[in-house]
Structures are given as C-alpha cells and as structure tokens.
Amino acid sequence: MICSTSILYAMRRWRIISFTVGEPWTVSDNHSATLVPLSTVIQTLPLSIAYLLYMLASMESVRGVNVPMYTTLRRTTVVFTMIVEYLLTGQKYSSPVFGSVVLIVFGAFVAGARDMSYDSYGYAIVFISNITTAIYLATIARIGKSSGLNSFGLMWCNGNVWKDVEKLISIPTIYAGLVCGPILLLWTYIRGDLETTMNFPYLYSPGFQAVMLLSCIMAFFLNYNIFLNTTLNSALTQTMCGNLKLNVIGQCLGFLGSGLYAYCKLKGK
C-alpha cells in the first residue's frame, strides 16, 4: 500500500497521470488543491472496505487448502460474481454466457478432482474469499461508473483517505488518514504475523528488500490492470481472465469456456 500510494502520488504531482475521467494529465496543480475531493473519497469508502475484506479472506484461504484444491474452488468465483452483479446492478447474462461460466467451473472441478480432500474450514474460507472477491470487483465496476474517477483515482481512494488541511495551518499541504493500512497493521499484530515478520532473519538483507520492492511494484501494476479491466469491461470479465488450470483437460475446458465467453461478449449477447 505504501509503495502504490507513493507511486500514484509521485506520478500525479509530476503530472504524468490524472485521477478523474476527462481531466488533462498535464493540468497544473496548486498547493491548495486536494488530489481527490473529500466527498469523492467518502463515496468510494465501500470500495476500500470491500478491498480490505477481499484481501483478508484471500490471504486466509490460501492457508486453508492445498494449492490444486484452492485453484479449483477459486474458479467458482465467476458464479458468485454473476450473482453479486445481479444483486447490485441488476445485470443479467444470456444463456451462452451462462453456459460458458458453467463450462469453466466444470473444467475447474475436473482439473482438481484428484486432489479432492474435504476440509470444512478450508472450503468455507475459500468460498468466503470468492464472495468477497465478487463484491470487490462488482464494487469497482459500480463506483468506477458513478464516481467520475479513472483507474488511478480508484486505486488512490482504495487505500487512502486524504484530506487537505492547508487552510487550517500555515504549512505546506498535509494529507493524512489511511483506511486499510492501520486496520491491516492491527490485524497482523493480533495474529502474530507482524512479530514473525520482524523476526525474519533476512528482513534487512539488501537482496530480500530489493525483491520485496519489486514485488510491491508488480502488485501495483497488477491492481491497476484489475481496476482498468473491471471498469472498462465488467466484474465478470475480470473474473474470467487468467483461467489456467492444473491439467490438460481442465485447461482445455477452461480455455473453451473463456473463448465462448469472449465470443459472446464481442457479439453483444
């Protein structure tokens, strides 16, 4: 989050990007202007909350089951996404699109059939992760259309609540208040993850820190592409992306389902 916030802030101040749709990237900034109006930040609070739940559930679900079973169960996210989109926006899909979703889910279970091992807690947390993922993506699509923010602006508000207080004190503009950061910090402290991290023997190793920084930068670009794809297309389209399976049959069925969905999308069905 610190890495993403720093990159966005630097690019915005250097006038490389803008945060709102239709705003010129080279618009001049003055010190009395906020990067994003407080009213817009409040409007995007549900997105920050959805992201927080999505992150916590996703990280916990990885611990609950083995990787093949995790991948299999995560493919059912497309079903939850369709349900959430219908509940939030009334979005309905045609029979061919619905068939492609069924085919993808079936292919996932074919791929993970050999690794089936029932674990009530593991299954439950993965399905919770699927639900939070669907809510997160649907929230991106909904707020992206109503807030007037582009993908960069949504990413900025997703992790931050920034308020201009220059009018209150005679110093350069100060921005403060993180939404997700403090909550996650408290959560890692309660779970003991923070202590484990601080005791990691290679924490201050230049090599480890370089790899961690690169990982954070890659996460920034990954999140940007998620926001961009979801706002330009739909939550379901984003869920469909990257349906690689763990064996040949699963891969073929997943690829066939994704291809069918893409055909239906292009044909406007």
Side-chain angles (χ1 to χ4, degrees), residues 1-2 18 34 39 61 112 124 136 139 162 165 198 209 219 221 249:
M1 287 183 177
I2 293 174
S18 66
T34 56
S39 58
S61 64
Y136 174 54
T139 305
W162 301 81
V165 296
M198 298 307 297
Q209 292 182 355
F221 287 107
I249 297 178

Side-chain angles (χ1 to χ4, degrees), residues 1-151:
M1 287 183 177
I2 293 174
C3 181
S4 295
T5 300
S6 300
I7 293 174
L8 288 170
Y9 182 83
M11 289 196 299
R12 181 64 180 84
R13 281 304 180 187
W14 293 338
R15 305 172 189 173
I16 299 175
I17 63 172
S18 66
F19 283 167
T20 58
V21 177
E23 177 188 353
W25 287 13
T26 57
V27 65
S28 59
D29 290 320
N30 55 64
H31 291 295
S32 63
T34 56
L35 296 179
V36 174
L38 183 59
S39 58
T40 303
V41 173
I42 294 175
Q43 183 182 355
T44 59
L45 275 178
L47 177 58
S48 297
I49 296 173
Y51 175 69
L52 180 63
L53 295 175
Y54 153 75
M55 181 186 298
L56 292 176
S58 297
M59 293 299 100
E60 184 63 24
S61 64
V62 175
R63 304 177 181 181
V65 294
N66 58 53
V67 174
M69 198 64 249
Y70 172 80
T71 304
T72 299
L73 296 177
R74 284 290 282 168
R75 292 309 96 197
T76 62
T77 303
V78 293
V79 178
F80 291 102
T81 302
M82 293 181 73
I83 295 174
V84 171
E85 278 195 310
Y86 175 75
L87 294 176
L88 290 181
T89 63
Q91 175 68 51
K92 296 181 180 180
Y93 293 95
S94 63
S95 297
V97 170
F98 182 78
S100 67
V101 170
V102 172
L103 194 58
I104 286 178
V105 174
F106 178 69
F109 278 96
V110 170
R114 293 181 301 175
D115 299 286
M116 287 286 188
S117 55
Y118 183 72
D119 182 338
S120 57
Y121 173 78
Y123 279 36
I125 197 65
V126 172
F127 281 120
I128 291 175
S129 175
N130 291 347
I131 294 173
T132 57
T133 301
I135 294 174
Y136 174 54
L137 295 177
T139 305
I140 292 176
R142 184 176 184 179
I143 293 181
K145 295 176 181 178
S146 62
S147 65
L149 297 173
N150 59 21
S151 298

Side-chain angles (χ1 to χ4, degrees), residues 97-258:
V97 170
F98 182 78
S100 67
V101 170
V102 172
L103 194 58
I104 286 178
V105 174
F106 178 69
F109 278 96
V110 170
R114 293 181 301 175
D115 299 286
M116 287 286 188
S117 55
Y118 183 72
D119 182 338
S120 57
Y121 173 78
Y123 279 36
I125 197 65
V126 172
F127 281 120
I128 291 175
S129 175
N130 291 347
I131 294 173
T132 57
T133 301
I135 294 174
Y136 174 54
L137 295 177
T139 305
I140 292 176
R142 184 176 184 179
I143 293 181
K145 295 176 181 178
S146 62
S147 65
L149 297 173
N150 59 21
S151 298
F152 292 114
L154 289 172
M155 289 179 66
W156 177 262
C157 293
N158 189 45
N160 305 276
V161 172
W162 301 81
K163 185 177 180 181
D164 186 1
V165 296
E166 186 184 47
K167 296 180 180 179
L168 301 181
I169 49 179
S170 301
I171 58 176
T173 305
I174 298 176
Y175 298 88
L178 293 171
V179 174
C180 297
I183 298 176
L184 289 175
L185 186 63
L186 179 62
W187 179 259
T188 55
Y189 174 76
I190 295 175
R191 292 294 301 270
D193 294 332
L194 184 60
E195 182 179 359
T196 302
T197 301
M198 298 307 297
N199 292 331
F200 182 61
Y202 302 104
L203 181 62
Y204 299 104
S205 168
F208 171 77
Q209 292 182 355
V211 172
M212 178 60 69
L213 178 60
L214 290 175
S215 176
C216 293
I217 294 174
M218 290 177 64
F220 167 81
F221 287 107
L222 173 63
N223 287 332
Y224 171 70
N225 281 280
I226 290 175
F227 276 89
L228 184 63
N229 189 27
T230 304
T231 52
L232 291 180
N233 296 294
S234 68
L236 184 62
T237 302
Q238 169 57 35
T239 309
M240 286 289 189
C241 295
N243 282 298
L244 295 178
K245 301 300 181 284
L246 299 180
N247 62 34
V248 176
I249 297 178
Q251 287 177 357
C252 291
L253 290 174
F255 180 80
L256 180 61
S258 297

